[in-house]
Amino acid sequence: MGVWAKLRGFVKSRPRIGFIRPMALKLDWGRENVVAIKGHFAGSLRIKGSNNHIELPASAVFKGHILIRGHNCRVTIGEQCHLVSDIVIKGSNQSISIGEGTTFAGVYLLCLEQCHIKIGRWCMFSRKIEVRTSDAHSLIDRKTGLRLNAAGSVTIGDHVWVGVGAILNKGTAIADDSMVGAMSFVNKPFAESGVVIAGTPAKIVKSGITWNRERKRKFSAADMDAWRQPPTGS
Ligand SMILES: CC(C)(COP(=O)(O)OP(=O)(O)OC[C@H]1O[C@@H](n2cnc3c(N)ncnc32)[C@H](O)[C@@H]1OP(=O)(O)O)[C@@H](O)C(=O)NCCC(=O)NCCS
């Protein structure tokens, strides 16, 4: 390749650089990406692909970094979310959605291999948490040469509290109004709501529970069901 062709390639591969907010850098290498960021965003957004859509409503806060490497992906953050998070999507036609009122104190979301991550409303995720749809590498059966560790989407219901250091791995599903214990490794679906899931690998260790952000000795039925309020605007 000649020097001019190389130079042209270099110039063409440069992203369009802009600021979403004074503290939020946007690098866009693609075309037709929709960046509907109305809320507070501090960090960076890098898009290496086209037709992607990122949505942060005016009432929401996002602090961290988002990388999309692919086409037709979607990141949707709900009203009143407050997220400290790094989000990575690699692949096309994948989505991450986070429901209204959910908070993250430090969460890494990794969405690979044609999978999706869906997190419900009014969830509370602590720090040092990973949510991943893939092990990122292959575990192989030596006899057959076949890959053993297939990827899988992750679905978290409404009002789920995830304790510090937990990993929600490929194929995880957690029903509404549940809690994941600190440092747990979750790797399968749990259909029962109102449970504590804990351990490595995680299993149900308590049933018939709910949880609340407040601390007091006794909670009324109204306190315990406050999270069931209808979505904003409904
Ligand atoms: C070890 C691992 C690769 C296995 O994936 P897999 O082949 O799909 O495994 P399975 O889900 O079929 O698990 C097989 C058994 O091991 C258990 N198991 C799997 N990972 C485990 C873990 N980290 N700790 C304890 N038990 C584990 C499963 O619960 C299952 O037990 P069961 O047969 O009694 O139900 C995967 O579970 C894992 O730990 N992935 C994380 C990889 C990682 O850290 N990647 C970061 C990027 S480098």
Side-chain angles (χ1 to χ4, degrees), residues 121-177:
R121 303 163 56 221
W122 311 118
C123 292
M124 180 173 76
F125 283 44
S126 180
R127 293 173 300 113
K128 297 184 180 169
I129 289 169
E130 291 207 4
V131 180
R132 41 193 317 140
T133 65
S134 162
D135 294 326
H137 307 285
S138 297
L139 184 71
I140 306 157
D141 182 310
R142 188 167 272 288
K143 249 193 212 150
T144 61
L146 292 175
R147 182 179 177 194
L148 296 170
N149 57 338
S153 293
V154 174
T155 308
I156 311 300
D158 292 340
H159 199 244
V160 173
W161 169 15
V162 181
V164 61
I167 299 176
L168 311 183
N169 212 36
K170 58 188 164 49
T172 291
I174 298 173
D176 294 349
D177 206 17

Side-chain angles (χ1 to χ4, degrees), residues 113-126:
E113 302 197 72
Q114 281 76 55
C115 291
H116 309 282
I117 296 175
K118 183 169 191 275
I119 296 172
R121 303 163 56 221
W122 311 118
C123 292
M124 180 173 76
F125 283 44
S126 180

